[in-house]
Amino acid sequence: MSQDKTERMEYFISLLDDYIDGRLEQGKTDEIEKMIEDDPFYAEVLKQHVQVRSNIRLAGEEELREKFSKQFEPIKPEVKQKSNPFKFLIPALLLLAIAITAYFFFVDQDKSQEKKPYLENINNQEGELLLASVEDPSYDLLRSQEDSLTANSWRHAVQQFIIKDYRGAIEIVSKLESDSSFVADHLGKVSLMKGVSNLKLEQYEDALDALSLVEKGNPYFDQAEWYMALASYYGGDKKDAQNKLQKIAMSSSHYKRDQASGYLKRLAEE
Amino acid sequence: MQQESKYSEEELISKLRSGGRAFEDISIYMFNEFKGFLPKIKEKLHLTQQQSQDAYADALVKLIRHLKDGRFRGDSKVSSYFYTIFYNTAVDVSRKNASNKNMQTQELMEHDAKERDLLNLITKKDEAAEVIKVMASMGDVCQRILMDWGYYGYSMTEIATRSDLSNAESARSMKYKCLKKLRALLKSKMYNA
């Protein structure tokens, strides 16, 4: 390409953008169009220039698209939630802790009641010690393994006593008393049932009479001693009750020692 | 740029067409301005976060092109116009995903208008990627000058400043050389293809 042709080409190219954008003055527009018309080479150069501009625009758009993409917050990968074995552990432990706490709370309450049963668990709202709350003797101690008519009657009496039909129990025991051998053999438990039944029926004198038959050395003596104290207490003989209760309270081995102290305390407050 | 400031549609188009820094700033403004459409389209077309973001970026580039070249005639609000572009782009993305799943069994014998658009888009993207590759081979200065001039519309004085050239005349001369080089590279690429 000659110097003249090169210069003409550079001149042509320098006008192309304004020509394509329509910003070229009319005289130069005519000049460019004449060059394109006269020489197909210039037409080819124009075509290539348009193509290059189009390509640059495409590249520019791609760059802008990248720029927009970078404006977004990075996407956190969606992680599938793995089943967590500890997911239910904490609630389970909490429940367990509550259950244990509740268990010990109630067990402790029961223990405290055992220690001072006649102070807390038998008081009414006025703080009175109620006869109705007086524990019955252990039923096991009253049961007999003998297989006889008398023994069956006894078992029947026990059943009545268990269902708190004290009157029914007394009736059966009274009949049994006609069997002197049975009474002689089982004086302790027979007297205990009769005495406690009378106590519950508020027949305090009868209760004391029956219970006093249980002699020292009899396996049921401790229980008889305790219910006699109660019979005196509820029968209104506070002095006698106090004596009997003090005796029990001072006995280190008596099974109602603590409860006797409770009653004594109540008596002192009255 | 103050993100709180609001631009009228006329201002928006004017800034886009004026090019340079105003063009770049208003592009980012538009990016933030229309982001509210993202969750709606994502949910409507059941797209992933990535797909909806890609569609959004594509749609915004298209909107800018339409606003610059006058294809947007102002018959509707720019936001409504954008929503239509975004929705259609997102539909293309979701179709592309659906067709990818059945690529081995599906043979497109005839293309409807949407499919043609989609194929055209893919072709153009490939073409753009090719041009970017060619431009990258020219070096950073040429690439930056051609982009600033050919797409962002910076003035020669601004290009000189941005590319550490002495003045506008140097920038113009450099641009001429870079264009010549690009033409040659693209030509050889075309002949070798």
Side-chain angles (χ1 to χ4, degrees):
Chain A
M1 196 182 282
S2 66
Q3 180 70 28
D4 181 50
K5 203 162 185 185
T6 305
E7 281 173 11
R8 270 186 72 76
M9 176 58 71
E10 283 179 2
Y11 173 71
F12 178 78
I13 288 172
S14 71
L15 297 176
L16 271 184
D17 289 312
D18 284 343
Y19 172 70
I20 293 165
D21 295 333
R23 291 197 301 257
L24 204 61
E25 57 195 63
Q26 194 54 52
K28 288 190 174 172
T29 300
D30 293 343
E31 194 181 346
I32 288 280
E33 286 177 353
K34 189 160 186 335
M35 287 168 84
I36 292 166
E37 205 178 312
D38 292 348
D39 192 339
F41 180 73
Y42 289 114
E44 184 59 30
V45 170
L46 172 66
K47 196 178 158 191
Q48 279 180 17
H49 192 77
V50 169
Q51 187 68 42
V52 164
R53 275 175 48 131
S54 170
N55 284 329
I56 291 170
R57 187 179 55 79
L58 275 179
E61 287 186 344
E62 197 55 38
E63 190 180 78
L64 187 65
R65 191 178 288 112
E66 282 290 308
K67 206 181 279 180
F68 287 148
S69 297
K70 283 175 187 165
Q71 291 284 319
F72 288 113
E73 297 279 326
I75 299 168
K76 288 173 189 165
E78 288 173 22
V79 181
K80 268 193 174 180
Q81 287 265 322
K82 284 182 185 173
S83 64
N84 185 354
F86 297 105
K87 194 178 172 182
F88 300 107
L89 188 63
I90 291 171
L93 284 174
L94 277 172
L95 280 174
L96 187 65
I98 291 166
I100 290 169
T101 309
Y103 171 78
F104 282 110
F105 175 76
F106 289 116
V107 164
D108 192 51
Q109 272 205 336
D110 286 346
K111 279 181 181 169
S112 62
Q113 282 171 10
E114 276 173 21
K115 284 176 185 169
K116 39 184 178 176
Y118 289 93
L119 268 182
E120 277 74 20
N121 69 338
I122 60 173
N123 287 2
N124 67 359
Q125 284 184 334
E126 285 76 37
E128 289 178 84
L129 301 166
L130 299 176
L131 174 65
S133 301
V134 170
E135 283 178 298
D136 287 339
S138 165
Y139 306 126
D140 290 333
L141 297 173
L142 296 168
R143 284 178 188 140
S144 169
Q145 302 303 313
E146 287 178 38
D147 188 19
S148 63
L149 190 61
T150 314
N152 285 338
S153 294
W154 170 247
R155 278 193 282 272
H156 187 209
V158 172
Q159 283 167 6
Q160 295 308 111
F161 188 85
I162 288 169
I163 63 170
K164 300 193 185 298
D165 177 9
Y166 300 115
R167 208 169 293 280
I170 289 169
E171 277 176 21
I172 298 167
V173 169
S174 298
K175 283 178 192 170
L176 279 172
E177 283 174 330
S178 61
D179 185 344
S180 56
S181 63
F182 179 82
V183 172
D185 290 343
H186 305 91
L187 184 64
K189 63 184 176 185
V190 170
S191 298
L192 183 62
M193 184 188 281
K194 200 176 172 182
V196 174
S197 296
N198 277 306
L199 171 67
K200 291 294 176 115
L201 293 169
E202 299 181 21
Q203 297 163 0
Y204 304 112
E205 286 304 319
D206 292 341
L208 286 167
D209 286 346
L211 292 165
S212 63
L213 294 174
V214 184
E215 293 175 346
K216 201 168 184 177
N218 188 294
Y220 296 95
F221 180 76
D222 275 8
Q223 291 187 72
E225 201 176 25
W226 169 244
Y227 287 107
M228 279 171 76
L230 295 182
S232 296
Y233 179 85
Y234 290 107
D237 189 349
K238 305 292 178 187
K239 186 80 183 164
D240 190 50
Q242 195 172 21
N243 290 335
K244 289 184 168 88
L245 287 166
Q246 273 175 347
K247 200 176 169 189
I248 295 167
M250 287 168 73
S251 167
S252 59
S253 59
H254 202 287
Y255 84 110
K256 290 292 186 183
R257 186 184 169 203
D258 291 340
Q259 287 89 334
S261 299
Y263 271 89
L264 285 168
K265 195 177 170 190
R266 176 65 61 191
L267 277 170
E269 289 168 356
E270 286 176 0
Chain B
M1 179 177 172
Q2 295 281 317
Q3 286 300 319
E4 295 78 31
S5 58
K6 292 271 176 186
Y7 295 96
S8 68
E9 297 199 344
E10 289 74 23
E11 284 176 308
L12 203 129
I13 295 165
S14 162
K15 280 178 183 293
L16 278 177
R17 287 182 181 165
S18 66
R21 173 54 53 196
F23 170 85
E24 290 205 56
D25 286 347
I26 205 73
S27 302
I28 297 302
Y29 168 83
M30 287 163 73
F31 173 86
N32 291 312
E33 190 67 8
F34 301 132
K35 263 202 306 198
F37 292 133
L38 257 168
K40 195 175 173 183
I41 296 282
K42 178 179 180 281
E43 198 176 322
K44 202 168 182 177
L45 297 174
H46 309 291
L47 300 175
T48 65
Q49 186 74 4
Q50 187 63 60
Q51 287 167 343
S52 59
Q53 287 182 1
D54 287 348
Y56 182 77
D58 275 353
L60 204 50
V61 168
K62 279 185 207 169
L63 172 71
I64 288 168
R65 189 193 307 149
H66 289 194
L67 293 175
K68 273 175 83 177
D69 66 16
R71 227 178 300 177
F72 170 74
R73 292 190 303 270
D75 298 333
S76 61
K77 283 172 73 180
V78 172
S79 57
S80 309
Y81 188 76
F82 172 71
Y83 182 82
T84 309
I85 295 175
F86 182 24
Y87 182 80
N88 289 335
T89 309
V91 169
D92 288 346
V93 169
S94 67
R95 283 189 184 182
K96 189 180 166 191
N97 291 332
S99 64
N100 277 347
K101 285 175 191 164
N102 304 310
M103 195 64 92
Q104 288 180 330
T105 54
Q106 193 178 40
E107 193 179 346
L108 296 174
M109 299 303 286
E110 284 183 275
H111 310 304
D112 63 16
K114 278 272 170 205
E115 286 163 345
R116 272 197 301 273
D117 283 351
L118 183 58
L119 290 171
N120 192 31
L121 183 77
I122 295 164
T123 312
K124 276 194 170 179
K125 278 200 165 186
D126 290 344
E127 207 177 309
E130 198 59 46
V131 174
I132 288 166
K133 212 189 283 178
V134 171
M135 283 174 78
S137 71
M138 294 165 64
D140 290 344
V141 178
C142 261
Q143 192 179 2
R144 191 69 267 145
I145 288 170
L146 291 179
M147 285 288 213
D148 281 353
W149 163 77
Y151 184 67
Y152 294 101
Y154 280 98
S155 69
M156 282 302 147
T157 311
E158 287 171 321
I159 290 172
T161 310
R162 283 164 66 85
S163 296
D164 285 330
L165 299 168
S166 54
N167 51 40
E169 197 47 51
S170 302
R172 197 170 285 110
S173 167
M174 195 69 180
K175 181 204 93 180
Y176 175 76
K177 284 178 191 164
C178 292
L179 266 177
K180 202 173 167 185
K181 199 172 170 184
L182 178 61
R183 252 197 312 269
L185 283 168
L186 286 172
K187 202 172 173 182
S188 74
K189 196 89 189 166
M190 200 168 68
Y191 286 135
N192 291 334

